[in-house]
Amino acid sequence: MALRNMLWLVLLFAPCWMGVSFNHNTDPKEEVEAIHKTILTLDTHVDTPMRLGRDDFDVMKRNDARRGGGKLDFPRMREGGLDAAFFAVFVPQNSLTEANFKRAYERAHETFDLLHQMAERAEGVAAIALSPDDAYEHKINGKHSIFIGLENGFPLEYDITRVQEFYDRGARYIGLSHTRNNQICDSSTDPGGYIHNGLSEFGKEVIREMNRIGMLIDVSHISDQAFFDVLEISKHPVVATHSNARAVCDHPRNLSDEMLKALAENGGVVQVTFLPSYVRQITQKPEVVEARRKVREKYNNFQGLSEEEMAVAWAAWEDINHKYPVRLPTVSDFVDHIDYIVDLIGIDHVGIGSDFDGGGVLEDCFDVSEMKNITAELLERGYNWEEIEKIWGGNFMRVFRQVENLAGR
Ligand SMILES: [Zn+2]
């Protein structure tokens, strides 16, 4: 048996090995602790790289999320029992001009640099992971795993060789678009409407190249038609690294029942996310809507900003949240999406992608230190260890391995 499978079995069945058995009399807190010690826990989307390089943030120290300190760092990953995360190389997008493509490409590389520097500083605490095997091994060695994903294919420009280039820098997924249409496909949220009616010709080439290399295709953010185009062209299962169920919360960023069923048929996985407006319909007061509109207008809808401008824009956004506090969705609201998806397409196609530091937040999972509240809720709702292991990473890792194997890695 390959080493990786043995590691996996050790982790999955450790409680049996150790003769630990849990019954209804067990303290739920102890059971949550035991689960997090045993299984691999993975969050497939955090935007923490946007904070790297800033003077007011140190990923090696404990920051206070309730005082604007960001939602993830290594000390709080430890507290929350989160083993691994995909750190998103997020690239803001402006119009599709040569100068903007060039800037985005440079910016993507700068963020890769920051992530590799972070991994060097974190030696002994965390390490870059390039495959599922790496993550299981890091877990056994007591280290967190830093996976990298590229959010938005904009920096590829029209150069197909850049798919391999970003893979070689450590990226293991590419989110095809962000909130605006790009050269690859339409976005689900571009106010200007669609320009490709799905994937562009270059987008189709990107899918084939990602299949060839063995890279995960992230369908979060893309339009419904682009989603179905991807499923038609990709020979591999795909992932939605941070999306919810549209039937539970009607938002174009979420997946319809038809999309969820197609995703299951494809063998892929949807990673349920914390972003409040994708979790629960929130009715906002007109003054809040207006204040937000003004900030979006002032800061070019958060597109094409420098790092400094982005920090100022986020601060203005946070000010509104402070001034008009809304009741955030809860872990229970979040798990409603998991329940719904499990009922619709089964336990094998769902996972977790918080979008921490990109807007993801729940009232009772405000930062990564509170991740165990999700496990507690899953237990409370009757999910067993094996199911919880699948949700916390097993399903995503299954797809990850398939994509590697299909590409002959
Ligand atoms: Zn996103």
Side-chain angles (χ1 to χ4, degrees):
M1 185 185 284
L3 173 68
R4 62 165 189 253
N5 293 334
M6 285 183 65
L7 294 175
W8 188 85
L9 282 173
V10 168
L11 287 171
L12 185 57
F13 296 111
C16 319
W17 272 42
M18 295 183 294
V20 178
S21 68
F22 287 91
N23 56 42
H24 293 300
N25 299 323
T26 307
D27 176 357
K29 271 193 179 153
E30 276 177 32
E31 188 167 4
V32 168
E33 291 300 326
I35 289 175
H36 279 261
K37 276 201 180 80
T38 308
I39 66 166
L40 183 86
T41 50
L42 168 71
D43 179 339
T44 56
H45 195 90
V46 302
D47 277 310
T48 309
M50 283 202 282
R51 291 182 169 266
L52 298 176
R54 272 172 52 174
D55 294 340
D56 61 347
F57 179 75
D58 183 351
V59 74
M60 300 303 294
K61 292 191 180 142
R62 197 182 191 290
N63 299 267
D64 185 349
R66 292 184 191 271
R67 293 180 180 206
K71 304 221 180 288
L72 183 140
D73 48 45
F74 293 123
R76 282 179 295 162
M77 271 180 90
R78 178 111 345 206
E79 268 172 55
L82 183 70
D83 298 313
F86 269 88
F87 289 73
V89 172
F90 167 70
V91 183
Q93 182 187 322
N94 220 320
S95 52
L96 311 182
T97 64
E98 212 172 301
N100 288 336
F101 276 128
K102 186 170 179 287
R103 180 70 200 114
Y105 174 69
E106 288 165 358
R107 176 130 187 212
H109 274 295
E110 285 160 16
T111 309
F112 276 103
D113 291 343
L114 285 169
L115 281 167
H116 287 287
Q117 285 158 15
M118 173 182 93
E120 267 172 43
R121 278 191 65 216
E123 202 193 332
V125 173
I128 296 279
L130 300 172
S131 67
D133 292 3
D134 286 350
Y136 288 103
E137 285 182 37
H138 291 336
K139 165 97 182 179
I140 285 173
N141 296 327
K143 280 191 279 191
H144 297 287
S145 287
I146 304 161
F147 282 107
I148 305 177
L150 181 68
E151 179 168 35
N152 197 354
F154 186 62
L156 296 175
E157 198 172 347
Y158 289 96
D159 184 349
I160 198 69
T161 66
R162 288 187 187 171
V163 178
Q164 181 79 56
E165 184 181 320
F166 289 129
Y167 183 91
D168 292 343
R169 292 225 66 192
R172 287 297 176 267
Y173 69 66
I174 297 179
L176 299 177
S177 81
H178 192 236
T179 55
R180 296 289 179 270
N181 304 328
N182 64 13
Q183 80 283 21
I184 293 172
C185 64
D186 295 323
S187 166
S188 58
T189 49
D190 195 312
Y194 303 139
I195 55 172
H196 306 292
N197 279 321
L199 272 177
S200 69
E201 282 309 311
F202 177 69
K204 291 174 189 168
E205 213 184 316
V206 169
I207 300 304
R208 287 189 281 264
E209 178 66 355
M210 290 176 78
N211 278 177
R212 186 190 70 77
I213 293 170
M215 206 169 182
L216 291 158
I217 298 163
D218 178 9
V219 295
S220 284
H221 280 290
I222 71 176
S223 73
D224 291 13
Q225 187 54 51
F227 170 90
F228 286 111
D229 286 356
V230 170
L231 290 198
E232 204 178 301
I233 290 165
S234 176
K235 293 192 171 73
H236 300 175
V238 303
V239 297
T241 64
H242 56 308
S243 292
N244 290 348
R246 204 177 287 171
V248 179
C249 177
D250 189 9
H251 192 291
R253 267 286 281 106
N254 290 339
L255 306 185
S256 68
D257 285 3
E258 197 193 352
M259 292 161 88
L260 288 168
K261 285 178 188 166
L263 188 75
E265 183 89 355
N266 158 280
V269 61
V270 52
Q271 304 288 108
V272 178
T273 191
F274 298 179
L275 211 113
S277 53
Y278 310 164
V279 178
R280 208 192 53 209
Q281 223 107 39
I282 296 165
T283 36
Q284 289 170 335
K285 291 178 186 156
E287 55 266 39
V288 182
V289 175
E290 180 56 14
R292 290 216 164 118
R293 190 194 62 73
K294 278 188 179 154
V295 171
R296 277 201 207 94
E297 190 181 270
K298 187 168 175 188
Y299 298 101
N300 194 31
N301 218 353
F302 291 82
Q303 303 296 310
L305 303 182
S306 68
E307 247 149 70
E308 297 73 38
E309 288 165 339
M310 185 63 104
V312 176
W314 266 117
W317 193 260
E318 288 290 325
D319 276 352
I320 299 172
N321 293 340
H322 279 297
K323 203 169 162 194
Y324 306 100
V326 283
R327 192 178 76 78
L328 290 171
T330 60
V331 166
S332 173
D333 295 323
F334 167 80
V335 176
D336 286 348
H337 285 265
I338 294 181
D339 275 355
Y340 182 84
I341 293 166
V342 170
D343 279 349
L344 188 75
I345 57 173
I347 188 71
D348 294 322
H349 305 284
V350 65
I352 296 166
S354 69
D355 210 359
F356 276 144
D357 292 324
V361 60
L362 300 172
E363 190 176 282
D364 42 355
C365 191
F366 198 81
D367 68 11
V368 69
S369 71
E370 296 179 336
M371 283 294 215
K372 288 173 188 165
N373 291 343
I374 294 170
T375 312
E377 181 71 19
L378 291 169
L379 275 176
E380 177 79 31
R381 293 199 191 191
Y383 288 89
N384 64 33
W385 279 51
E386 194 187 342
E387 291 164 337
I388 292 173
E389 187 277 336
K390 285 182 175 190
I391 293 168
W392 260 125
N395 287 333
F396 189 92
M397 289 307 199
R398 179 198 72 234
V399 177
F400 199 164
R401 283 199 203 292
Q402 275 175 355
V403 167
E404 285 182 324
N405 291 339
L406 287 165
R409 283 191 188 278

